[in-house]
Amino acid sequence: MNRVIVAEHPLIQHKLTLMRMKDTGSKDFRELLTEITMLMGYEVTKDLPLSEIEIETPVVKTKSKVLSGKKLAIVPILRAGIGMVDGFISLIPAAKVGHIGLYRDPETCKPVEYYCKLPQDIGEREVLLVDPMLATGGSATAAIELLREKGAKNIRMINLVAAPEGIEEVHSKYPDVDIYVAAVDEKLNDHKYIIPGLGDAGDRLFGTK
């Protein structure tokens, strides 16, 4: 319970530093996000169950291992979460992809839902909920609530950067949801942005302001 798994691989930390730099443009930011997502995918999926099947190599018949058990769903929180989908799909091409649309009200800083489309069998799948930033935890908990309402039972949250406040918020409401991150940053500022953070991940991904 209340697990936070920090992916400390040197390549992840190096690429995350490049993403943090304010002069990193949208093209490089997108490519780095995909690369880090793929690298984090090894950590996120390392406990997936395996079964043994018989195959024939060019030399001999043998027994070898394949994935078994629960199917996977990748669910990005729009819009920045979209940037993490390709990395996971590259690793798990059979996974289905859902979408949850939330934005943060600038006055209340609370999440507002505007879109939700999930695989019909979401309750039978291991869900990877992805968003580059875990700031206040408001969007994350709202997304988890939506997933639970639709029948999802097994959910993992994957973020690049998280604030302690966001982690505490998620685990106070959903202690069974593991959180995978590349870094736990210092805190939130008065505007609820992560310090030192990445800035606005959506704007940096898509070149908007």
Side-chain angles (χ1 to χ4, degrees), residues 26-45:
S26 292
K27 176 181 179 293
D28 290 338
F29 194 90
R30 284 193 297 269
E31 291 174 353
L32 289 163
L33 179 55
T34 296
E35 291 166 4
I36 292 176
T37 301
M38 291 181 68
L39 290 166
M40 289 184 70
Y42 288 99
E43 182 69 38
V44 174
T45 60

Side-chain angles (χ1 to χ4, degrees), residues 53-64:
I53 63 171
E54 186 174 275
I55 63 169
E56 188 169 356
T57 76
V59 181
V60 68
K61 287 185 178 180
T62 186
K63 290 185 177 180
S64 194

Side-chain angles (χ1 to χ4, degrees), residues 54-199:
E54 186 174 275
I55 63 169
E56 188 169 356
T57 76
V59 181
V60 68
K61 287 185 178 180
T62 186
K63 290 185 177 180
S64 194
K65 294 177 180 179
V66 293
L67 289 173
S68 65
K70 289 188 179 298
K71 298 173 286 187
L72 296 177
I74 302 158
V75 180
I77 298 176
L78 303 178
R79 63 186 167 126
I82 283 283
M84 299 179 71
V85 171
D86 285 350
F88 276 115
I89 287 293
S90 297
L91 295 175
I92 319 159
K96 289 188 176 178
V97 180
H99 297 87
I100 292 177
L102 298 166
Y103 67 89
R104 188 166 70 176
D105 186 292
E107 299 293 327
T108 65
C109 293
K110 299 291 185 183
V112 179
E113 176 196 346
Y114 65 90
Y115 188 78
C116 182
K117 184 80 169 179
L118 301 171
Q120 288 187 338
D121 60 349
I122 194 72
E124 302 170 18
R125 293 180 177 268
E126 185 91 29
V127 178
L128 307 182
L129 180 63
V130 299
D131 194 0
M133 313 292 283
L134 177 57
T136 65
S139 293
T141 54
I144 294 168
E145 183 178 355
L146 275 171
L147 287 165
R148 288 280 165 85
E149 288 174 356
K150 299 292 186 179
K153 303 175 187 69
N154 301 295
I155 303 169
R156 305 181 189 201
M157 182 91 209
I158 300 99
N159 312 101
L160 257 65
V161 174
E165 295 93 331
I167 292 171
E168 183 178 352
E169 176 68 10
V170 171
H171 278 160
S172 68
K173 295 181 178 177
Y174 300 102
D176 60 323
V177 173
D178 290 340
I179 300 173
Y180 295 80
V181 298
V184 178
D185 277 10
E186 182 184 344
K187 63 180 181 179
L188 297 177
N189 67 11
D190 293 340
H191 299 288
K192 306 299 182 184
Y193 276 84
I194 299 174
I195 299 296
L198 300 167

